[in-house]
Amino acid sequence: MRVPLSWLREYVDLPATETGRDVQAKLISAGLEVETVDQLGTDLKGPLVVGQVLTIEELEGFRKPIRFCTVDVGQANGTGEPQEVVCGARNFAVGDKVVVVLPGAVLPGGFAISARKTYGKTSHGMICSSDELGMGDDGSQGIIVLPPETEVGKDAIELLELVDEVLDIAVTANRGDCLSIRGVARETAIAYGLPLRDPALLDVPAANAFGYPVRIDEPRGCDRFTARTVSGLDPEARSPIWLQRRLQKAGMRPISLAVDITNYVMLELGQPLHAYDRARVQGTIGVRRAEEGEKFTTLDGVKRTLHAEDLVITDERGPIGLAGVMGGANTEIDDTEGTTTEVVVEAAHFDQISVARTARRHKLTSEASRRFERGVDPQAAAAAAQRTVDLLVLLAGGTADAGVTEVVAPSAPRTVTVPADHPDKVAGVAYGREIVVRRLQEIGCVVVGNTAAWNASLRGGGRETGGQDELTVTVPSWRPDLAEPNDLAEEVIRLEGYENLPSTLPKPPSGRGLTHRQRLHRRVGRALAGAGYVETPTYPFVAEQVFDQLGLDADDPARRVVKLVNPLNDEEPALRTTLLPGLLGALRRNDGRGSHDLALFETGLVFHPGEEQRLAVRLPVDRRPTDEEIAGLTAVLPEQPRHVAVVLTGAREQAGWWGKGRPADWADAIEAARTVAREAGAEPTVRKGQYGPWHPGRCADLTVVVDGVERVVGHAGELHPRVLKAFGLPERTCAMELNLDLLEQVGDDTPQAPGISTFPVATQDVALVVDKPVPAADVEAALREGAGELLESIRLFDLYENAEQLGEGRKSLAYALRFRAPDRTLTVDEASAARDAAVSLAAERTGAVLRS
């Protein structure tokens, strides 16, 4: 909401010395978000005067039309002689009054004006457009043409109100009243402790039977509808300069007199209005819900298909307006031919939710819908209609018809009962009853207190005397956001000043610190960061098409998703079942911006729907939910395990004087999985696998034993080329994803002090020949079990394949076995016996034979 300070001063007698910055500070202290204060005309310097065009000479021989004009500027140039000016605009004629800037002046942006020769003539100044003066768009597409009655030689800076300050306020969703000069003026008056001249306090005639006929078929959607008719309008009448300038300063473009007046009153009082061309309205005006599929063309020229929940204004033909959003083209005020001489003014109050849903459904946001969505004062409709009628009569020479239509649904004022000390308890500050009552009255509330309880409290010296001092607060019609005691407490606190609240550090009760799951989550993050990965949190929303890009089978459980009823993005309506889409998207964006050596990770929740879809119970708000109610709510939530995933591409080790470096490969992804598993105290088994997005020949299944059953806990390796192409990723991109909760379940992360022996180690190397399909993990497991307690560690250090030496379909696995005893030096025979036992068990289980 843009609020010119000059307009604000009409309703609040601010001290003359108060600047826009001063008002900004006051309003911010009162809780309004005043983002900026625009200083209009501060870099403008005259002479800038009104002139009358005397002659126009068309200059030939140039690529664009050029005119050489003489302009009467009175005595502003010091001589009284006509001023010679070169101008390229075409929207003025001889006799028109225009704005002329003379040599020596400075226009906005530091543009100094001087006499100069151009197009073969000397131009002594310039005829100005609204853009050149920093006024904004006035719709003229050329220079400013002033009304004929404007005095020649008059100071145009004063005439056009070019010097002003404009407060730009970001109005929050609960403060619809501040989308008006009236609302901001009220807040300003409270902040300065000054009286408010309420522009809505007008003498409004009572409704009668002679008004324009109106029928409300949907009272829940429209609880108030005021209609007034003005006839005998001058179709040639144009908006006066002061009206146009106020609209421009508020960020709106002048259009035509009738439309400008309705916009002006909306900005002034906060009540959206609409003016219909009376000659184009047929029969009774009605309010109803639209018929499904009904067609309607709005003022922007778009033909729209209506929804059954849309609230529409109608006449005998059908819809003539989307209620609270935009009027229809079939009853538009004629501002081109100038034939409109009679208008019907509509000032109505529409349901907030209905207007908001209609605006979003049709992607049609307007100044009217912004206000209705946030709450409009229903009591201001009649005053806004009267103000509009008064301005039409004053500026367009019309006559107000005697008929007044006002359809009102019965309603009672809203009241809230609140203990007088409730704001004290909320803020932790002793305001006292008097301040609470005064602040609530300042915002327009009617406050009635429990006098007996108050007097008893005073007699008791302020101590509790058995009766509670409660206030019954009647909320003003312009504040629909005040619905409960905490809302009233917030009003008292903000007006007393948030900055006056004492700053005290909270004293949390002693607790047990982080949970085991939280500690593991942090350890995993630190371990991956230490390994060179960068944490990249992503949004948990995905499109279902992403599973096709990942190459998942049609029956893959990961394709079953939880869909959001009201997603942030219609293209991503589902919750993720894997972390990879978000990470791969982040990898693609960074690679596209020139970062080609990337290692990213994320830990986060994934979401799997339950087998049975059930609705959650609605928890109570007037008490704490029971454990059974909370358990019932939890039972219908989707399963939400925590996963960890990494993606990497480019160089894993940079080249330099120390060496050539090396690219990231599938082994790095597997090592990242081992890094995570170590933090969880688990030892996953690495097997050759094949799953979805991974390359079938470079994919590892990571398994753990849960309750005696081996389960896949994740996958790691190089991504499939088809997946890389679908996501637009670099070649040989690798990835890993693990179920962190499952790792935590099977792991034991109790710190283990390493056993340090003073006795030497005995190393034995064995090379075993097995069939190629035999997993190295199975061979290692057999060696580990067969070697017994003397085995300290085992490491695969060589893989050899040669059909001529080993035979077709065979491979050689070479392991280094380290043996050590805690209490003695092992003999060669003991170490050899342990090795032979290991080889024997490996031969029994995997068919391994010692390589000769």
Side-chain angles (χ1 to χ4, degrees):
M1 178 66 189
R2 291 177 57 82
V3 180
L5 189 61
S6 58
W7 198 351
L8 194 63
R9 288 182 183 274
E10 283 197 7
Y11 309 122
V12 183
D13 289 327
L14 293 172
T17 57
E18 287 295 288
T19 66
R21 299 290 186 189
D22 298 329
V23 177
Q24 178 189 29
K26 286 282 190 178
L27 292 180
I28 289 177
S29 178
L32 294 186
E33 298 179 18
V34 186
E35 294 185 333
T36 59
V37 178
D38 295 337
Q39 309 287 336
L40 304 184
T42 54
D43 53 353
L44 177 65
K45 177 184 175 184
L48 187 72
V49 299
V50 176
Q52 184 172 22
V53 180
L54 300 178
T55 64
I56 298 177
E57 177 187 352
E58 301 289 346
L59 302 182
E60 305 292 340
F62 300 102
R63 286 183 298 176
K64 62 179 181 178
I66 298 297
R67 311 169 98 184
F68 181 66
C69 311
T70 59
V71 186
D72 178 13
V73 295
Q75 297 299 318
N77 57 4
T79 64
E81 296 294 324
Q83 199 79 3
E84 297 179 337
V85 179
V86 174
C87 183
R90 314 291 297 176
N91 66 315
F92 65 97
V94 173
D96 283 345
K97 302 290 181 66
V98 294
V99 177
V100 183
V101 57
L102 302 178
V106 179
L107 294 183
F111 182 48
I113 302 299
S114 61
R116 65 189 183 97
K117 190 170 184 179
T118 178
Y119 296 104
K121 299 286 186 178
T122 300
S123 181
H124 298 273
M126 187 171 72
I127 302 176
C128 297
S129 69
S130 59
D131 283 341
E132 290 165 337
L133 297 179
M135 295 168 55
D137 183 14
D138 63 354
S140 66
Q141 303 298 320
I143 59 96
I144 303 169
V145 178
L146 299 172
E149 64 273 13
T150 310
E151 179 186 350
V152 172
K154 183 178 179 62
D155 184 2
I157 295 178
E158 179 183 352
L159 174 69
L160 299 177
E161 303 177 13
L162 297 179
V163 179
D164 203 349
E165 295 180 277
V166 180
L167 285 70
D168 195 348
I169 303 175
V171 179
T172 54
N174 66 318
R175 292 304 305 273
D177 60 306
C178 288
L179 282 174
S180 66
I181 303 295
R182 178 195 185 200
V184 177
R186 182 181 293 107
E187 291 294 319
T188 305
I190 295 172
Y192 279 91
L194 297 172
L196 169 70
R197 288 188 293 274
D198 191 343
L201 295 180
L202 301 175
D203 291 330
V204 179
N208 54 52
F210 308 105
Y212 196 93
V214 173
R215 184 185 68 254
I216 307 297
D217 295 328
E218 183 60 37
R220 293 184 61 182
C222 176
D223 58 5
R224 184 180 294 267
F225 196 108
T226 300
R228 301 288 298 276
T229 306
V230 181
S231 57
L233 300 176
D234 178 5
E236 301 296 328
R238 295 292 178 260
S239 301
I241 293 174
W242 65 266
L243 178 58
Q244 294 187 44
R245 288 299 294 134
R246 287 193 171 178
L247 291 176
Q248 288 174 327
K249 292 176 186 178
M252 302 187 75
R253 181 172 66 89
I255 299 174
S256 64
L257 179 57
V259 176
D260 291 349
I261 288 174
T262 58
N263 286 336
Y264 177 84
V265 176
M266 177 184 67
L267 292 172
E268 184 179 54
L269 301 182
Q271 168 66 53
L273 302 108
H274 191 74
Y276 302 96
D277 187 333
R278 173 66 183 85
R280 305 176 73 179
V281 179
Q282 297 181 10
T284 301
I285 292 178
V287 181
R288 61 169 172 83
R289 295 290 176 184
E291 298 175 4
E292 187 66 36
E294 194 170 13
K295 304 294 184 181
F296 171 62
T297 302
T298 46
L299 280 173
D300 55 2
V302 178
K303 189 173 184 179
R304 304 180 186 275
T305 301
L306 301 182
H307 189 276
E309 292 184 3
D310 291 336
L311 195 65
V312 293
I313 313 297
T314 64
D315 64 4
E316 290 180 353
R317 297 165 297 174
I320 60 174
L322 270 178
V325 180
M326 185 174 286
N330 52 355
T331 56
E332 181 180 7
I333 297 290
D334 187 355
D335 59 344
T336 55
E337 299 295 332
T339 59
T340 300
T341 60
E342 188 175 8
V343 299
V344 178
V345 177
E346 165 213 309
H349 184 259
F350 300 112
D351 177 61
Q352 292 178 244
I353 297 176
S354 178
V355 172
R357 288 179 176 172
T358 296
R360 282 158 179 75
R361 189 179 297 116
H362 295 283
K363 296 180 173 60
L364 186 62
T365 300
S366 64
E367 291 291 335
S369 68
R370 286 182 61 220
R371 285 163 174 80
F372 279 120
E373 287 177 21
R374 288 163 173 79
V376 169
D377 181 6
Q379 303 292 336
Q386 182 63 44
R387 177 72 163 138
T388 304
V389 168
D390 292 343
L391 289 173
L392 285 171
V393 171
L394 175 67
L395 302 177
T399 302
D401 291 1
V404 177
T405 302
E406 189 164 8
V407 181
V408 181
S411 63
R414 290 179 298 110
T415 60
V416 180
T417 301
V418 56
D421 61 348
H422 184 65
D424 301 18
K425 294 178 179 179
V426 173
V429 176
Y431 293 122
R433 185 182 194 274
E434 182 179 349
I435 289 178
V436 171
V437 172
R438 176 170 58 83
R439 288 302 188 184
L440 293 178
Q441 289 174 337
E442 285 178 345
I443 63 172
C445 295
V446 176
V447 184
V448 178
N450 185 339
T451 307
W454 171 243
N455 292 335
S457 176
L458 291 177
R459 289 194 299 271
R463 299 184 299 273
E464 185 63 46
T465 58
Q468 186 178 22
D469 181 21
E470 288 190 339
L471 304 176
T472 301
V473 181
T474 302
V475 176
S477 58
W478 56 82
R479 291 299 303 274
D481 58 307
L482 303 181
E484 59 179 42
N486 285 336
D487 297 331
L488 301 178
E490 182 182 3
E491 292 300 298
V492 175
I493 294 168
R494 75 174 181 87
L495 294 177
E496 284 296 305
Y498 290 121
E499 69 276 10
N500 296 323
L501 294 176
S503 298
T504 56
L505 292 175
K507 297 179 181 179
S510 59
R512 292 171 291 180
L514 300 177
T515 65
H516 183 273
R517 190 186 194 207
Q518 291 170 329
R519 289 196 297 272
L520 173 61
H521 180 203
R522 294 192 178 189
R523 288 203 309 273
V524 167
R526 285 195 294 266
L528 289 175
Y533 291 85
V534 176
E535 186 170 13
T536 313
T538 63
Y539 288 115
F541 312 114
V542 296
E544 293 185 85
Q545 293 81 2
V546 77
F547 301 119
D548 296 328
Q549 296 176 299
L550 291 174
L552 300 185
D553 294 336
D555 58 349
D556 195 301
R559 284 183 175 272
R560 295 185 64 245
V561 295
V562 177
K563 289 187 178 180
L564 301 175
V565 175
N566 188 21
L568 294 178
N569 184 351
D570 291 337
E571 296 180 358
E572 295 180 336
L575 293 176
R576 66 189 178 192
T577 56
T578 168
L579 300 181
L580 288 183
L583 275 180
L584 295 179
L587 185 80
R588 179 181 65 247
R589 285 190 296 273
N590 283 275
D591 180 72
R593 286 163 175 75
S595 298
H596 304 301
D597 303 323
L598 297 164
L600 311 178
F601 84 93
E602 180 180 9
T603 58
L605 300 179
V606 298
F607 307 86
H608 299 288
E611 295 296 331
E612 181 184 356
Q613 298 295 323
R614 293 182 294 167
L615 292 176
V617 297
R618 186 182 296 274
L619 296 181
V621 296
D622 57 344
R623 59 175 174 81
R624 184 189 184 281
T626 65
D627 293 341
E628 291 76 13
E629 289 171 332
I630 295 176
L633 177 63
T634 304
V636 301
L637 295 178
E639 183 184 356
Q640 303 176 48
R642 185 177 295 277
H643 280 206
V644 56
V646 306
V647 293
L648 60 163
T649 190
R652 186 66 178 134
E653 295 178 3
Q654 295 290 338
W657 58 264
W658 52 85
K660 295 182 179 180
R662 68 173 183 86
D665 60 17
W666 58 268
D668 294 299
I670 294 176
E671 182 57 31
R674 289 195 171 106
T675 299
V676 172
R678 280 194 294 269
E679 295 300 324
E683 294 184 11
T685 301
V686 181
R687 301 182 185 278
K688 180 180 179 181
Q690 182 174 345
Y691 178 70
W694 280 275
H695 192 296
R698 300 178 186 133
C699 173
D701 285 345
L702 306 167
T703 65
V704 294
V705 177
V706 181
D707 298 329
V709 178
E710 189 173 69
R711 290 180 55 182
V712 176
V713 73
H715 301 86
E718 183 180 315
L719 294 176
H720 198 289
R722 286 196 298 268
V723 174
L724 301 182
K725 183 178 180 180
F727 280 91
L729 301 174
E731 295 181 356
R732 313 306 290 267
T733 297
C734 300
M736 176 277 294
E737 184 166 9
L738 288 175
N739 185 328
L740 194 55
D741 285 354
L742 196 55
L743 277 180
E744 180 186 10
Q745 180 181 343
V746 301
D748 180 10
D749 58 357
T750 303
Q752 301 289 336
I756 300 176
S757 175
T758 59
F759 298 96
V761 66
T763 303
Q764 297 276 350
D765 293 345
V766 294
L768 303 178
V769 178
V770 296
D771 292 335
K772 283 186 178 180
V774 175
D778 291 351
V779 178
E780 180 179 325
L783 290 173
R784 188 182 299 276
E785 183 178 343
E789 296 181 354
L790 294 179
L791 181 67
E792 183 178 81
S793 67
I794 181 172
R795 178 175 60 88
L796 175 67
F797 67 86
D798 184 53
L799 169 64
Y800 178 70
E801 296 180 359
N802 189 309
E804 293 182 1
Q805 296 185 15
L806 303 178
E808 193 67 33
R810 306 278 281 177
K811 64 182 178 183
S812 172
L813 303 173
Y815 292 89
L817 286 73
R818 293 167 56 92
F819 298 97
R820 197 195 308 258
D823 56 351
R824 67 188 187 281
T825 299
L826 292 178
T827 65
V828 174
D829 292 339
E830 288 178 309
S832 298
R835 180 201 63 189
D836 293 341
V839 171
S840 176
L841 187 58
E844 177 184 341
R845 290 187 177 176
T846 66
V849 296
L850 278 172
R851 180 181 169 189
S852 59

